[in-house]
Amino acid sequence: MAGNAAQMVELLKALTSSQNQERQQAEKMFQHAKTSEPESLVLGLMQVLSGESAEEDVRRQASVLLRQLCTYGHSDKDFAFGKLNPSTKQQVAEQLLRLFETMQNKKLQQKVGDIVAMLAATTNQDDQKGWFAPGQRGWPTLLPTCFRLANPTQNQNASSCESAVLLLKDITEAYKKEISSAQAELGAVVQQTLAHSEIKVRCAAFNLVCELVGVLEKKVWAPLTATGNVLVQIIQQLCQNNMMEDLKDCMSNYIEVVTVEPDFFKQQLQSSMEPAKLMATLVKTKQCDSDIRSMAMEWLTQYCERKPKWLAKSLPNFPGLALECCMDLMLEIEDGDAALKEWAERMDDEEGEEDMDELHHNGEEAIDRIVEAIGMDTLGSSLFALVGNFSSQNHWQAKLAALTAVKQTVEYVEENEHINEMAKLLLQHMEHQHPRVRCKAVHALGQLANDQAPHFQDAWHATVMPKLLQQFDDPVDRVASMAMSAFVSFGEELDNALMAEYANAFMTKLVGRLNSSKHRMVLEESITSIAVIAGVIGKDFSQYYDGIMPLLKQLVLNAKGEKEARLRGKAFECLSLLGLAVGKEKFLPDAKEAIQQMLQSDMETDELLREYIKEASERICKCLKNDFAQFLPHLMPNVFKSLKLEMEEVGAGGVSAQDNDDTEYVQITANNGKLMKVKTTKFDELSQSVQLIQTYCDAMEGSFFDFIQPTAQALMPLMASSDEATLLCDEVRLDAYKAWAGLIKCANAGAKERNQGPAIANELLRTFLHRVVGSVLQNETEPETIKDAADGMARCFEAVEVGSIGGQEVTQLAQQLFTLLDASFVRQATKEKLLNEDKAATPAELQGDEDDENDENDEEECQRALEDAIGGLMKVAPQDFASQCLTECGKRLEGWLQSKSHRVLALYLGCDLLKNLKEASQPVWPVLMPAIFQGLGDQDPDVRIPCAYGIAWAAPLPAFAEAAPQAFSKLAQLIGGPAPKKRDEQAKIAMDNAVSALLVLAKNKAAQCPQDVPVWQLIINKLPLKADEEEAHRVHKIIVELLADQNPGLLGPDNSHLGKVLSILAEVYKQEDISTEEIDTGIANLFKLLPRDALMKCAASFTEKQQKKIEKMLS
């Protein structure tokens, strides 16, 4: 091939032939050449690319294929460059550089530059396959050539200079160490090209500076901050010259700099508010290209997200300017009858909906992100002023912008006064003459209901519910459907006693719309609204069931049109929710028909319908529980099939340009070395199927027993694999670990039902330990992967019976987990050391600030998961762990408590020792208890949480009596202090844990409570708990038990606490997040046992909602 350029040209043409036979034959030849004649193939392509005789399209294709053959990372079969002898590698590399320098055709020169950039990465990575020769890493002549060609004083050809600057940008990542060492050469290139007379060269220099800032260490790029004003000028010049494509490239790179290195702009912003003022000007200039306006808005938004604390402190005008820009963009809505008609008739799931009024939607998204990042404390006054200003204007677009701002930001409003003002504004506009204003008002009301539940529902239901019912009849179907959607949001969090008052009127209206409307969105939202009513009122929905179920069945049977997948899916959704509401006795016959229709549905090609059916089948399973087993033989084969990762082989001629642009596929290398592609949707399908298995296990327990082993076989490939395809399934793998723990739980339950031993459960545990501990944890250094595996191990330990493992195996597992923790500590310390070294070498003005303090720490999450696994091991083998591992735990506690980085981890280890070893943990108490008491007063809620949690587990132990008085005093001081801020979730969780600990103390160590601690008053004033679900369940269960036992402390002198306690229990009743079925039953029984006169005396303590809930309980 190398000797005959004409033959190579013919082969290249054949590879793109429209004749299948000719193209397939050419692909076979190309594939054969890659394997048996790589040198001839590479040189032949070089010959075509270098020659002038071939057509440009052919030369361009030669460049694409040559780039692929020089790409390290594909299979060995495709990496032809790695198979060349050293002299040929050198020859190809130098010829490419010469070609790049001499090529006159700019498009082809850029293609050659792409090959050079790829080869640069290949020659400078760790694997020597890409090196020119063994021991010769890198490309010695590359950087000197780039610097020479990119420097205008050495290269007078502006076009060539531009291409060289862009090439330098493209190799920065691969050669960042070498570039960092060439400060003089780099500085000359940047200085000269930014001052070049040709705007295209300056534009290339702009992009180079952005790349350098994004890739190099801060101490290296620090001098480039001096280019800030020049970069602003280049953007202005590109705008003036109407060079839109170049401007978009520059803006894209500018945004990337904000994302990775926002500190680059700090000095410039402080001195001149640039480039923020330029970005705002671009956003507000209506004549400017819409993409540029959106990108300028993105720059402003990103900076708010990356530096919120610094902006609030050092540049308070910036966030307000960004808000103004958002409002300006939200005015960009097309007016006129034609535009309104198009909007009204378009379904919200139709193609093109997201492109309609794109600038408006960009402003809408940006204002949400900005307010979330900066916070209402800083932005509240500016936001409310803008909303008031725009809502008072006459033209409908301004009102729409105001309502949109409310919709996007109401989540972050904390003051009830502001919430009420927003509600009034929305209600005022629900009858506006323009349909889009009405629609947005209703939409925003639904968002308000979502974000401020249940307080908004409790306060406003009497006003909002009649208005929504009225809006169901809006003459514009799109508005009517949005009103139903808002009802869904409002109704989902409306108390069932309140919903019962409105149910009849709403059901009458919804059934009427379901029977009369042909509008798909109205039908869809009618169905969902009915499902919400059923979900809220539960068994009381039985009165409507027989009338609604036939309508839903008809929709399932008939809604099979091209655009009716969501309608059919919502019908399945509603069916399943009705089943949960009325119970399995009434629902079982209809469930059989529903499952039959699901099995007949086309779920392979219709992803939306598949997701609806998956969720519906989960609900049906939760409703039917054991009775769902009859459907498993029909359902599980499809589940097993969906767990197989189906791959298609990429064409032998390489990946086509179409494939490269196709986001529906991801390319991977299979174990056999072949380049394959997998549909990205397949990973979603895998995740859905694994989650479905989890639901089956949780709901059916022992009834899933017969399917445990085949399910385990199907999950096995996802558990641990070096195959590149399954390595991409990180999220799926975590779900697979959870499902595996579910199988263990089912195995235990099923074995007990069948009077069998725990052999299958124990086998599943050992399989997990072998596959995950033996394969993943021993070889992995990625903290997230280790975290997931450790989390899976903890779940499996939680699922097995005590005694499932023991002896030396306990010691070995504990040591492995401690070793993994030590390795994580080393990685963490190494990272911190590098950060400190970088900080020391960085100018003070570019060093980190308060916005850099809360970066997520993957290693800390990994360490917590490993500690959880150690806690799980204690639970499974408490005696063996106490005798073999407690001494090591004591040493760890003592060491970790001395380290600020490991203090919280030590406290959680102490909690697990108290929880699982109980009295056997006493040898570590002299180290642990002082740390717990000290931590209760810490400013950091992450420290207070495990301290309170530890006391809750220690309180029932007899040996804790001596320390109990101090615990009472410390907890009382904490609980009696300032309440946590509304948006400080960790502080609220810490408070819930403190209340829980004090309650457990009061229950178990009442005699040790100091007289000056009003323990029951402190506890009652903080109930019900809402921030920490686990503690809420524990505390509310204890309160029910103590009240049933007529605990004198809880009741108070002369039953003075009774009204408040009953009010709390009425509030807790049927609140899914903070109650359980057991708690609900206990609460209902308490109210039924109370004498009527005692209940009447407490009536003044109850809210309207609580009174209705109590009446419902008693009825």
Side-chain angles (χ1 to χ4, degrees):
M1 280 187 189
N4 194 332
Q7 287 184 8
M8 178 60 73
V9 168
E10 290 306 313
L11 176 63
L12 291 171
K13 289 181 177 179
L15 283 170
T16 57
S17 171
S18 59
Q19 302 297 316
N20 286 340
Q21 186 173 355
E22 182 182 6
R23 188 177 65 254
Q24 290 169 3
Q25 182 63 32
E27 286 181 348
K28 287 180 181 178
M29 291 177 63
F30 188 84
Q31 187 80 324
H32 175 76
K34 280 197 295 185
T35 306
S36 59
E37 302 178 72
E39 193 160 310
S40 177
L41 179 60
V42 170
L43 292 176
L45 290 170
M46 282 294 301
Q47 201 171 1
V48 173
L49 184 58
S50 305
E52 299 287 343
S53 58
E55 299 169 3
E56 184 175 331
D57 286 347
V58 175
R59 294 172 73 189
R60 189 179 293 121
Q61 190 192 7
S63 72
V64 171
L65 294 177
L66 191 57
R67 184 177 183 274
Q68 291 173 6
L69 297 176
C70 292
T71 301
Y72 175 81
H74 283 170
S75 63
D76 287 343
K77 177 187 68 175
D78 296 312
F79 183 41
F81 185 82
K83 302 173 186 177
L84 306 183
N85 65 58
S87 62
T88 306
K89 287 180 177 179
Q90 190 79 39
Q91 174 190 342
V92 169
E94 295 310 315
Q95 188 177 350
L96 282 168
L97 277 184
R98 286 195 302 274
L99 192 58
F100 178 78
E101 182 172 356
T102 59
M103 181 74 76
Q104 298 301 309
N105 184 314
K106 189 168 183 178
K107 289 183 179 179
L108 283 176
Q109 184 189 39
Q110 290 173 346
K111 289 292 184 183
V112 174
D114 291 342
I115 304 171
V116 171
M118 182 55 68
L119 197 55
T122 296
T123 58
N124 211 27
Q125 44 78 32
D126 292 336
D127 193 335
Q128 294 196 25
K129 288 177 184 176
W131 295 7
F132 289 156
Q136 185 185 336
R137 180 173 184 155
W139 190 345
T141 59
L142 176 60
L143 267 183
T145 302
C146 286
F147 283 137
R148 174 172 57 81
L149 295 176
N151 192 327
T153 63
Q154 301 178 49
N155 181 9
Q156 305 301 315
N157 185 321
S159 178
S160 172
C161 182
E162 176 199 353
S163 296
V165 172
L166 293 175
L167 176 57
L168 191 57
K169 167 186 170 289
D170 290 342
I171 67 172
T172 297
E173 178 67 48
Y175 277 75
K176 58 185 174 184
K177 182 179 178 182
E178 292 81 358
I179 288 174
S180 299
S181 301
Q183 288 284 296
E185 295 89 340
L186 180 63
V189 168
V190 171
Q191 184 177 2
Q192 295 295 329
T193 52
L194 284 175
H196 201 283
S197 60
E198 289 288 337
I199 183 63
K200 296 284 283 186
V201 177
R202 297 200 299 278
C203 181
F206 181 108
N207 292 323
L208 172 61
V209 169
C210 291
E211 183 73 6
L212 293 170
V213 174
V215 171
L216 304 184
E217 293 181 6
K218 189 178 287 188
K219 61 187 177 185
V220 178
W221 62 252
L224 293 175
T225 55
T227 68
N229 291 334
V230 179
L231 300 184
V232 167
Q233 291 168 12
I234 291 172
I235 290 179
Q236 291 171 331
Q237 290 160 2
L238 290 170
C239 287
Q240 291 164 6
N241 294 334
N242 200 30
M243 299 171 64
M244 287 299 110
E245 293 307 313
D246 295 291
L247 179 56
K248 288 174 186 177
D249 285 343
C250 289
M251 290 291 289
S252 178
N253 287 314
Y254 221 33
I255 292 168
E256 184 64 22
V257 174
V258 173
T259 305
V260 297
E261 289 290 1
D263 290 343
F264 176 77
F265 300 100
K266 282 169 69 173
Q267 289 175 277
Q268 187 184 10
L269 283 166
Q270 282 184 307
S271 64
S272 65
M273 265 290 277
E274 292 291 4
K277 289 198 294 188
L278 172 61
M279 295 297 115
T281 300
L282 292 174
V283 172
K284 295 181 178 187
T285 303
K286 294 183 180 294
Q287 295 76 23
C288 188
D289 180 271
S290 61
D291 288 342
I292 299 301
R293 295 178 72 187
S294 296
M295 295 173 95
M297 188 71 252
E298 179 63 21
W299 190 97
L300 292 165
T301 306
Q302 284 276 5
Y303 208 89
C304 288
E305 289 180 325
R306 296 291 286 119
K307 307 301 291 185
K309 295 177 182 176
W310 181 82
L311 286 174
K313 179 180 177 182
S314 304
L315 214 63
N317 292 335
F318 186 115
L321 179 64
L323 279 191
E324 290 175 18
C325 291
C326 293
M327 298 301 291
D328 275 10
L329 283 189
M330 287 192 289
L331 290 173
E332 297 291 340
I333 301 180
E334 194 173 349
D335 200 0
D337 293 341
L340 179 59
K341 185 174 185 293
E342 181 186 359
W343 171 84
E345 293 177 354
R346 187 189 296 277
M347 303 294 171
D348 62 1
D349 61 347
E350 286 183 347
E351 188 176 344
E353 171 68 15
E354 67 280 359
D355 299 326
M356 192 176 185
D357 304 320
E358 186 175 359
L359 284 173
H360 171 86
H361 292 310
N362 289 339
E364 181 179 25
E365 179 194 348
I367 199 169
D368 185 353
R369 292 164 59 191
I370 290 167
V371 176
E372 179 182 19
I374 303 293
M376 276 292 181
D377 289 345
T378 301
L379 276 178
S381 58
S382 299
L383 175 66
F384 298 137
L386 284 167
V387 168
N389 178 19
F390 277 65
S391 64
S392 64
Q393 296 178 32
N394 290 328
H395 58 288
W396 69 268
Q397 289 97 332
K399 294 184 183 296
L400 188 73
L403 299 178
T404 302
V406 170
K407 178 179 78 72
Q408 294 299 95
T409 60
V410 68
E411 175 184 358
Y412 314 111
V413 178
E414 297 189 6
E415 299 296 330
N416 285 333
E417 180 184 351
H418 293 149
I419 293 169
N420 290 337
E421 289 302 313
M422 286 181 160
K424 291 175 186 175
L425 179 68
L426 300 177
L427 289 164
Q428 287 169 10
H429 287 84
M430 283 176 64
E431 296 180 17
H432 192 274
Q433 61 183 6
H434 200 287
R436 294 198 67 169
V437 175
R438 296 199 302 276
C439 190
K440 187 63 70 174
V442 174
H443 192 178
L445 193 73
Q447 192 64 51
L448 175 55
N450 264 332
D451 295 331
Q452 299 294 341
H455 311 294
F456 178 59
Q457 281 84 340
D458 293 347
W460 283 84
H461 67 88
T463 303
V464 170
M465 290 290 276
K467 292 283 283 185
L468 288 174
L469 187 63
Q470 176 185 333
Q471 211 78 44
F472 284 8
D473 288 325
D474 194 282
V476 177
D477 282 329
R478 186 161 183 176
V479 180
S481 70
M482 183 57 73
M484 293 172 187
S485 177
F487 166 76
V488 168
S489 299
F490 195 92
E492 280 179 326
E493 297 298 327
L494 189 64
D495 187 81
N496 70 335
L498 297 175
M499 178 65 88
E501 293 186 358
Y502 300 105
N504 196 52
F506 274 83
M507 284 300 300
T508 301
K509 181 74 71 177
L510 289 166
V511 171
R513 295 303 318 251
L514 204 55
N515 282 318
S516 63
S517 179
K518 301 298 181 184
H519 192 273
R520 181 160 56 84
M521 285 169 59
V522 169
L523 294 175
E524 289 170 359
E525 295 303 332
S526 296
I527 293 169
T528 305
S529 298
I530 290 169
V532 164
I533 294 172
V536 173
I537 67 175
K539 294 272 186 187
D540 290 341
F541 192 82
S542 297
Q543 59 187 303
Y544 307 110
Y545 183 89
D546 292 334
I548 293 298
M549 189 55 69
L551 292 175
L552 295 175
K553 289 179 183 177
Q554 283 299 114
L555 280 170
V556 166
L557 287 171
N558 298 328
K560 296 181 180 180
E562 182 183 353
K563 296 182 178 181
E564 293 183 315
R566 188 167 72 172
L567 178 58
R568 192 162 191 256
K570 282 184 174 287
F572 280 125
E573 176 184 63
C574 191
L575 275 164
S576 62
L577 286 165
L578 263 57
L580 280 174
V582 302
K584 69 177 180 181
E585 290 77 14
K586 190 169 186 65
F587 179 59
L588 184 57
D590 295 314
K592 292 178 180 178
E593 291 185 46
I595 293 290
Q596 184 179 2
Q597 286 299 317
M598 289 178 186
L599 289 169
Q600 293 173 6
S601 299
D602 179 16
M603 289 185 283
E604 287 195 18
T605 58
D606 197 322
E607 296 154 19
L608 179 65
L609 184 59
R610 182 179 69 229
E611 188 168 351
Y612 272 112
I613 287 177
K614 175 252 181 186
E615 292 176 358
S617 65
E618 287 180 313
R619 292 188 203 95
I620 293 173
C621 181
K622 289 175 183 176
C623 173
L624 300 185
K625 297 187 184 301
N626 296 348
D627 288 328
F628 193 78
Q630 60 188 294
F631 305 118
L632 291 179
H634 308 288
L635 293 170
M636 292 308 292
N638 287 333
V639 175
F640 296 151
K641 181 182 177 183
S642 68
L643 289 175
K644 294 177 181 177
L645 200 60
E646 298 166 351
M647 297 181 283
E648 302 174 37
E649 186 173 359
V650 174
V655 183
S656 69
Q658 182 180 356
D659 284 334
N660 277 333
D661 294 336
D662 192 350
T663 56
E664 292 184 0
Y665 287 90
V666 61
Q667 298 169 28
I668 55 96
T669 303
N671 282 335
N672 59 8
K674 289 185 176 180
L675 188 63
M676 312 292 285
K677 62 180 183 179
V678 183
K679 270 195 169 183
T680 53
T681 54
K682 182 61 186 177
F683 297 108
D684 293 333
E685 185 183 352
L686 276 172
S687 182
Q688 289 171 7
S689 297
V690 176
Q691 290 167 12
L692 192 63
I693 290 170
Q694 288 181 57
T695 301
Y696 289 171
C697 291
D698 291 342
M700 298 177 65
E701 295 188 342
S703 298
F704 195 73
F705 190 82
D706 293 337
F707 285 87
I708 289 174
Q709 290 179 322
T711 304
Q713 288 295 322
L715 287 173
M716 197 82 74
L718 297 174
M719 300 284 284
S721 177
S722 59
D723 180 86
E724 190 177 342
T726 48
L727 285 174
L728 290 171
C729 306
D730 286 339
E731 293 182 15
V732 179
R733 185 171 297 107
L734 178 58
D735 287 334
Y737 293 157
K738 295 176 183 177
W740 197 273
L743 292 178
I744 293 175
K745 194 174 178 182
C746 291
N748 275 323
K752 287 177 183 176
E753 291 169 6
R754 293 161 175 76
N755 295 317
Q756 298 176 9
I760 294 178
N762 292 347
E763 180 187 349
L764 287 168
L765 174 63
R766 295 191 182 283
T767 302
F768 182 92
L769 294 176
H770 172 72
R771 297 277 296 189
V772 176
V773 179
S775 175
V776 176
L777 291 181
Q778 285 186 359
N779 304 309
E780 187 59 60
T781 58
E782 184 63 39
E784 187 174 358
T785 305
I786 297 171
K787 176 187 78 70
D788 289 347
D791 181 72
M793 188 188 302
R795 290 173 185 275
C796 288
F797 283 150
E798 184 66 31
V800 295
E801 298 288 330
V802 174
S804 298
I805 55 175
Q808 284 301 309
E809 191 174 8
V810 175
T811 307
Q812 291 169 2
L813 284 169
Q815 191 54 54
Q816 283 178 302
L817 292 167
F818 280 127
T819 300
L820 287 164
L821 276 167
D822 290 337
S824 176
F825 295 156
V826 170
R827 292 192 301 269
Q828 188 178 29
T830 301
K831 182 179 178 182
E832 289 174 359
K833 180 183 177 184
L834 291 173
L835 288 173
N836 289 333
E837 289 175 354
D838 186 47
K839 181 178 178 180
T842 301
E845 63 271 14
L846 291 178
Q847 290 185 4
D849 51 38
E850 56 268 60
D851 289 307
D852 300 315
E853 293 172 0
N854 296 323
D855 288 345
E856 291 184 7
N857 192 321
D858 290 343
E859 291 295 353
E860 287 184 3
E861 293 180 4
C862 172
Q863 292 156 18
R864 282 285 293 113
L866 288 166
E867 191 285 316
D868 276 344
I870 293 171
L873 187 58
M874 297 179 201
K875 176 258 176 189
V876 178
Q879 293 183 346
D880 286 333
F881 192 95
S883 63
Q884 299 171 29
C885 307
L886 188 59
T887 302
E888 176 67 17
C889 287
K891 292 177 183 176
R892 297 277 176 167
L893 276 175
E894 196 165 1
W896 294 353
L897 285 168
Q898 304 306 312
S899 165
K900 183 180 178 181
S901 300
H902 305 147
R903 182 185 176 196
V904 171
L905 189 71
L907 291 168
Y908 276 110
L909 178 61
C911 290
D912 277 323
L913 290 168
L914 290 166
K915 175 183 177 181
N916 296 296
L917 304 190
K918 298 182 171 54
E919 288 86 351
S921 67
Q922 288 183 54
V924 303
W925 285 19
V927 174
L928 177 61
M929 289 304 170
I932 284 179
F933 286 123
Q934 181 185 3
L936 283 173
D938 200 277
Q939 292 295 313
D940 186 353
D942 288 333
V943 174
R944 299 198 300 272
I945 290 169
C947 292
Y949 190 62
I951 288 178
W953 286 109
L957 305 178
F960 191 69
E962 184 180 345
Q966 185 182 2
F968 272 111
S969 297
K970 287 277 189 181
L971 288 168
Q973 184 180 358
L974 177 58
I975 295 168
K981 291 185 178 180
K982 185 176 179 180
R983 298 190 66 79
D984 192 344
E985 292 299 328
Q986 288 301 97
K988 290 194 291 185
I989 291 171
M991 182 61 76
D992 279 9
N993 276 265
V995 173
S996 177
L998 188 59
L999 176 62
V1000 178
L1001 262 178
K1003 177 184 175 184
N1004 291 279
K1005 296 288 186 289
Q1008 281 74 41
C1009 181
Q1011 290 186 352
D1012 61 342
V1013 175
V1015 58
W1016 289 105
Q1017 187 176 340
L1018 286 168
I1019 292 168
I1020 291 169
N1021 286 341
K1022 292 295 182 182
L1023 298 181
L1025 302 188
K1026 294 182 178 179
D1028 188 322
E1029 286 187 25
E1030 181 181 340
E1031 294 310 308
H1033 291 164
R1034 188 204 314 214
V1035 164
H1036 300 154
K1037 183 172 184 288
I1038 292 173
I1039 294 293
V1040 170
E1041 293 168 350
L1042 292 177
L1043 187 58
D1045 293 339
Q1046 299 184 37
N1047 181 281
L1050 177 64
L1051 290 171
D1054 298 324
N1055 290 343
S1056 58
H1057 298 160
L1058 180 60
K1060 177 67 172 172
V1061 172
L1062 291 175
S1063 170
I1064 290 164
L1065 293 180
E1067 188 68 30
V1068 169
Y1069 183 71
K1070 294 290 185 180
Q1071 293 293 315
E1072 194 172 304
D1073 292 343
I1074 59 176
S1075 187
T1076 63
E1077 287 186 15
E1078 181 186 1
I1079 294 171
D1080 289 341
T1081 301
I1083 292 172
N1085 289 337
L1086 283 172
F1087 275 98
K1088 289 173 183 175
L1089 291 172
L1090 271 172
R1092 194 76 180 182
D1093 60 333
L1095 199 55
M1096 294 301 294
K1097 288 180 183 178
C1098 300
S1101 302
F1102 306 143
T1103 65
E1104 176 203 4
K1105 180 177 78 171
Q1106 291 165 0
Q1107 288 177 10
K1108 292 184 183 300
K1109 291 174 77 172
I1110 293 167
E1111 289 169 7
K1112 193 165 180 58
M1113 278 187 259
L1114 296 177
S1115 66

